[in-house]
Amino acid sequence: TGPATTARARRARGRRRASTSRGPHGPSTSAWRRLPYAQLRPGDLLFYANDPSDPSTIRHVAVYAGGGTMIEAPQPGVTVREVPMRWADAMPWAGRP
């Protein structure tokens, strides 16, 4: 998911901060509060990594939509979609600004 896609999805849910899977607003910085999945709220970020124990390997960000679904654009050029949550390769926490 690119930064523009994630930002649009977050704005649609009432959140303003843009985010990407890397860079100064990425999940490994103090800008994000890490939280367990049991505390998810719509608009929280879901991170997917090559190695879920290592935040530096995050390669995909999705937005939690509620009800066990997420909003994502799996690759450039693919329509943004709402799909069931995926747990494979998910980081052991979600993010909230």
Side-chain angles (χ1 to χ4, degrees), residues 1 7 9 14 17 24-26 28 31 34 40 45 59 63 65 68-69 81 85-86 91 97:
T1 301
R17 169 178 259 153
H25 298 294
S28 61
R34 294 180 184 186
L40 279 177
L45 298 179
R59 61 172 164 38
V63 179
T69 63
R81 61 190 184 182
M85 287 274 298
R86 253 191 342 273
M91 294 300 290

Side-chain angles (χ1 to χ4, degrees), residues 3 17-32 45 47 97:
R17 169 178 259 153
S19 58
T20 66
S21 60
R22 295 174 185 81
H25 298 294
S28 61
T29 71
S30 61
W32 298 106
L45 298 179
F47 304 102

Side-chain angles (χ1 to χ4, degrees), residues 10 15 31-35 39-41 43-45 47 94-97:
R10 289 181 57 76
R15 308 287 174 91
W32 298 106
R33 188 176 91 184
R34 294 180 184 186
L35 63 142
Q39 295 178 15
L40 279 177
R41 296 189 312 214
D44 288 340
L45 298 179
F47 304 102
R96 183 178 298 153

Side-chain angles (χ1 to χ4, degrees):
T1 301
T5 301
T6 305
R8 281 193 303 271
R10 289 181 57 76
R11 279 194 302 275
R13 296 277 181 201
R15 308 287 174 91
R16 298 202 186 280
R17 169 178 259 153
S19 58
T20 66
S21 60
R22 295 174 185 81
H25 298 294
S28 61
T29 71
S30 61
W32 298 106
R33 188 176 91 184
R34 294 180 184 186
L35 63 142
Y37 289 109
Q39 295 178 15
L40 279 177
R41 296 189 312 214
D44 288 340
L45 298 179
L46 308 167
F47 304 102
Y48 296 87
N50 294 331
D51 176 358
S53 68
D54 181 0
S56 71
T57 68
I58 291 173
R59 61 172 164 38
H60 183 64
V61 179
V63 179
Y64 183 65
T69 63
M70 65 183 196
I71 299 167
E72 70 170 355
Q75 59 191 25
V78 175
T79 303
V80 174
R81 61 190 184 182
E82 187 168 346
V83 297
M85 287 274 298
R86 253 191 342 273
W87 298 106
D89 300 328
M91 294 300 290
W93 40 263
R96 183 178 298 153

